[in-house]
Amino acid sequence: MGLEPTAQRFLLAARLSCGQMAFPANLERFARSAAGRTAGLFAVIAGAYVAGAELAWHHFSSGLAFGYPPAGVDVAVLLLIAWQRWLVVIAAIVVSEVGVDLQHHLTLAVASGAALANAVEPVAGALFVLWFCARRRPDLATRLDLGRFVLGAAVLGPVVGGLVGASVSWASNGGWWPGLVLQWWAGDGIAVLVIGGTLLLWAQRRALVSARWLELLLVVLVTVGLSVLAFRFGEPSSLLFLPILAWAAFRLRDLGVVLTGAAIAAVANYMTAAGYGEFAGLGLSSPASVAVTQAYIALVVLVGWVLAQEVAGRMSAVQDRDSARLERAMADARREAAELGAVLADAATVNSVADQVSAAVRTRLDADYVVISVLAPDGRRLEPIADGDAAAQVTGMSAELTVDSDAPGPRAVRERTPVYLADPKAPDAGVGPSAALPLLTEVGALGYLGVWWTGPRAPTAVEREYLQSMAETTSRGLERARLREAERREHVRVEALAELTRLLAAALTPEAIGEVVADRVRAAVGGADGLWLGVISQDGRRLAWITTAGYAGEVLEQFPDLPMDVPAAATDAARTGRPVIISTPAEYEQRYAGPDTPAVVGSGSSWLTWPLWVGTAPVGAIGLMWKHPQQFEPGQLAFVAAVADLVAQALVRARVYADEHALAAVLQRAVTPMTAAVIPGLEIGASYRQAGSTQQIGGDWYDAMALPGKRAYLAVGDVVGHGLSAAEDMTQLRNAGRTLAIAGYQPADILEELARVTDWATSGKFATVAAAIIEPDLSLVTYATAGHPPILIRRAKTGTVEIPPPAEGPALCLPSDQGSPQYTQGQTSFDAGDIMLMYTDGLIERRGEDLDDGIARVAQRLQAWQPGEPLGSLCDGLIAFLGAEPQVDDMCVLAVSPAPGSPGQHPGRSVT
């Protein structure tokens, strides 16, 4: 090879080593193959056959043989394997029999004949049994199948084998052929009964063998020992064996009986051959002794087998009765749980479910404590929802608040299986025996149902079934109740959003918005412990608190406002426009480390902060805090997002309103001066009061102005609505009216022109006006109204109040395509001491009342007025005493009276 000897030796050693390592792997692959399994079956059958055949040859050489063990092995194997593999068993029988016989110096012809007989016998016996049992393996636990096995395998099969075997023996050695057939049949039949039956039962009773193998071994050893004593000292063996057979029948069933019989047969064979026992002292010939021994063994085994079946039948009947009784009790327990489940189907809350289940379990099981605990939203704690006060008295109950505790409840939740503790002294058992059952659903564990007793108690099987059924019922009830609660929460949130929308629409200042949010949001969002609302300052450098509520308020009092560059959830959300959702204090500390963080973290466990943005413009942020850890659900987050959107829009409206309010206030102060105008020859009083608690600017105004020719122009008007647009419109109308009066227009003409102004120069809102021109020298007043309440005049001479003849026209609101409205005007006397009163509808309107009633009240109050009092006091008094409560509309009053000693005293008259 061109290699040095050392290298050659090394290469050879390496190849040998590799070959040795590959051999076990190749052997394992061969064993798993079909050829390997066939070879293994052949080897096992051949080994067992050779061992049994050698044992039989030994018996023959000792002068006594009661059976041929391979006969029992062969028929049992054929009944245990598929018929397609029978040829392997037959081949093993033939090869083993020929080999053993040739070893014992028999001729090939005799060995072949014996092999034929021993191969035909198990095949015939197996075929007979399968025929009797409709091609299925016999169940030796039943009498019918036992009879079929005995007839087919222990009687007919050995008969067939005996006919062939006896013929071979007679042809080679001579003898009495019927006796040879009988000897063959008896020997193989007893072997099939004892050994074949044992193997079949062993395969059928694997669970029994695994559970009581030590007891099986003890029975066999005791049987062997007693059998030896009985045969050695000549004691009546049947009296000794029957108790053992009864023990085997009751405890180990038919397998124990057959094993006991096999042990008795083996001992009887050896002891009789040695000259001991009842059968050896009968003075019979060897064939007769064999027959008697075989009959005795067969009788013992069959009687024991039948006894085992009878015992098994009676025990089965008792078990069936007990099982039926137990099943009825369990069915009652399940029915009781199902009935409660039907009641729980209508339970509205999880607390209602827990209370009803707790009461039912306590009554049914006579328990001292029944606790139902559910997983907290963080998934790490268990919170009791039933019998929480009583549960707190249970030793170790505080440990059960965590899922990783070793207490029964948390263990049941973690392992998802019931936990029963029966020892009252167990350190983790609480006050005594306990049971904890997990509350399971398709999505996982909800919590557990826990039961405690103060005294010794072990739940029975029925009680355990009841608890399991109650746990399932509770799980379903809690799940349905949670769904209902979720639906109610969503309904409450929808209603809360609708209410917030309504209230925020009416809240026109940041403070009013803060009050609405503090009152409405915390409960609807899921029981938040704290809330704050902050807006970004005009310079964008600070976040100023509008409102704080709950526990969070105690902490935020330390911070009047918050610089936008301070690391905090509030500033982060307001600055970035992204919500900040924090479930644990550790997460908050990690994200917003700073000097103020400990104070914030010390107040709660979970935080939800939402930005207030309108479009791309930041407005502020709203925050919520919970003292206990939260797992925020999508419905919660969607609700907070909607609230944040509403609040942001409301804050923007408040800012716009604040600007409009300031401008409107300036306009209104211009058109409703604090002091009445001074006009020669006239005393004038006026009063004005806005409506509402928010001091909204309205559209009511009055005017009093001196005109050329010692005349005076007076007007009172009302533009529908509030705010800047109403203030702008009333300013337009007031100024236009003044201009027209200065230009010499009469009241009707003034109103006609104001109608055109309303159409073209204002926002086109509904407006009413009352206009009058007083001529003191002539003691006349000319008047006209446009959809306005009538003028009232108190006559000094009579003290009565009258409404001048109507001089009316439509309100200032008609579109231009309807043509110009027409107005009439009236004229009446206005003598010294007379008082003319002009007012807006806010003074006379009340909900559910006719306007005439309001006018009558004003007239009554005016009539009762004492002459000589200032007219300003009259106007203030009318508003103070006659205004509706709550005031829903602005009120404006203008009173005019000729000054004392003014010229022109003429009789009253009215002109239209």
Side-chain angles (χ1 to χ4, degrees), residues 162 165-171 173-185:
S167 298
V168 173
S169 179
W170 176 79
N173 298 322
W176 187 47
W177 185 82
L180 295 175
V181 174
L182 181 61
Q183 183 179 358
W184 185 291
W185 169 76

Side-chain angles (χ1 to χ4, degrees), residues 356-699:
Q356 294 184 66
V357 171
S358 175
V361 173
R362 187 186 299 108
T363 302
R364 179 73 158 72
L365 302 183
D366 193 24
D368 296 286
Y369 303 106
V370 178
V371 179
I372 297 175
S373 293
V374 296
L375 281 170
D378 60 3
R380 296 191 297 269
R381 296 177 299 108
L382 288 161
E383 300 176 339
I385 57 174
D387 272 12
D389 296 337
Q393 304 173 17
V394 181
T395 304
M397 193 64 192
S398 59
E400 293 196 18
L401 293 177
T402 58
V403 176
D404 56 358
S405 168
D406 289 332
R411 281 175 51 194
V413 173
R414 289 197 310 272
E415 300 168 6
R416 299 194 177 186
T417 185
V419 175
Y420 293 93
L421 295 178
D423 185 5
K425 298 180 181 179
D428 57 353
V431 296
S434 61
L437 291 91
L439 305 177
L440 303 176
T441 65
E442 294 181 356
V443 297
L446 292 177
Y448 74 91
L449 167 64
V451 184
W452 279 265
W453 294 270
T454 55
R457 179 67 181 270
T460 64
V462 174
E463 290 174 337
R464 293 192 178 202
E465 181 68 19
Y466 172 77
L467 283 173
Q468 183 63 44
S469 300
M470 288 301 292
E472 296 171 359
T473 297
T474 305
S475 300
R476 291 191 294 269
L478 289 176
E479 199 169 25
R480 285 193 298 264
R482 282 187 167 183
L483 290 175
R484 289 195 180 95
E485 289 183 341
E487 291 176 357
R488 283 196 300 273
R489 284 196 299 271
E490 290 304 315
H491 183 68
V492 168
R493 287 168 184 165
V494 170
E495 290 183 341
L497 285 176
E499 183 70 5
L500 275 173
T501 302
R502 184 183 68 81
L503 295 175
L504 290 175
L508 299 178
T509 64
E511 292 74 17
I513 294 171
E515 291 178 4
V516 170
V517 171
D519 291 341
R520 303 285 175 170
V521 173
R522 276 196 300 162
V525 80
D529 296 294
L531 176 144
W532 55 259
L533 175 63
V535 295
I536 300 174
S537 61
Q538 293 291 342
D539 58 7
R541 299 173 58 184
R542 307 188 74 81
L543 188 68
W545 310 124
I546 293 178
T547 186
T548 60
Y551 189 77
E554 300 175 7
V555 177
L556 294 176
E557 285 177 0
Q558 305 175 27
F559 316 106
D561 50 16
L562 196 62
M564 290 296 290
D565 56 356
V566 170
T571 56
D572 190 8
R575 187 173 54 252
T576 63
R578 291 190 298 269
V580 177
I581 303 171
I582 299 178
S583 299
T584 63
E587 183 181 355
Y588 195 103
E589 291 178 335
Q590 182 179 4
R591 294 180 63 174
Y592 305 110
D596 298 330
T597 300
V600 176
V601 170
S603 66
S605 297
S606 293
W607 296 265
L608 184 58
T609 308
W610 217 271
L612 303 179
W613 278 48
V614 176
T616 59
V619 176
I622 183 172
L624 296 151
M625 180 275 297
W626 286 262
K627 295 180 181 179
H628 298 293
Q630 300 289 311
Q631 292 295 321
F632 298 109
E633 59 187 46
Q636 258 181 314
L637 300 180
F639 175 75
V640 175
V643 168
D645 191 32
L646 291 174
V647 172
Q649 295 178 27
L651 288 172
V652 171
R653 287 196 303 270
R655 286 184 177 179
V656 173
Y657 172 77
D659 296 338
E660 290 184 352
H661 187 274
L663 179 58
V666 172
L667 293 175
Q668 191 170 54
R669 278 195 296 272
V671 300
T672 55
M674 297 298 295
T675 59
V678 177
I679 300 177
L682 295 176
E683 180 187 358
I684 299 176
S687 184
Y688 172 81
R689 190 168 78 183
Q690 298 169 342
S693 61
T694 58
Q695 298 297 305
Q696 300 183 42
I697 302 301

Side-chain angles (χ1 to χ4, degrees), residues 26-102:
N26 293 333
L27 183 60
E28 184 178 356
R29 284 196 297 272
F30 175 74
R32 287 198 300 265
S33 64
R37 290 195 298 271
T38 300
L41 177 62
F42 183 91
V44 171
I45 299 301
Y49 194 97
V50 169
E54 288 294 339
L55 181 63
W57 273 104
H58 173 72
H59 292 167
F60 280 121
S61 63
S62 65
L64 181 63
F66 76 91
Y68 191 63
V73 174
D74 297 340
V75 72
V77 170
L78 292 178
L79 289 172
L80 289 172
I81 65 174
W83 64 268
Q84 293 89 344
R85 306 180 70 187
W86 282 15
L87 288 178
V88 180
V89 178
I90 294 171
I93 293 172
V94 171
V95 171
S96 302
E97 179 66 30
V98 171
V100 172
D101 288 350
L102 291 178

Side-chain angles (χ1 to χ4, degrees), residues 754-830:
L754 287 181
R756 294 190 178 93
V757 172
T758 303
D759 188 23
W760 294 102
T762 68
S763 61
K765 291 183 179 179
F766 180 90
T768 65
V769 180
I773 293 178
I774 297 177
E775 300 178 64
D777 290 347
L778 300 178
S779 299
L780 291 176
V781 59
T782 306
Y783 58 90
T785 60
H788 202 81
I791 295 172
L792 298 178
I793 296 179
R794 179 181 183 274
R795 298 300 181 181
K797 292 180 179 180
T798 62
T800 60
V801 176
E802 64 181 39
I803 298 176
E808 301 172 339
L812 308 180
C813 62
L814 292 179
S816 59
D817 58 357
Q818 297 295 320
S820 298
Q822 300 297 316
Y823 297 91
T824 61
Q825 66 184 24
Q827 194 173 66
T828 186
S829 63
F830 193 55

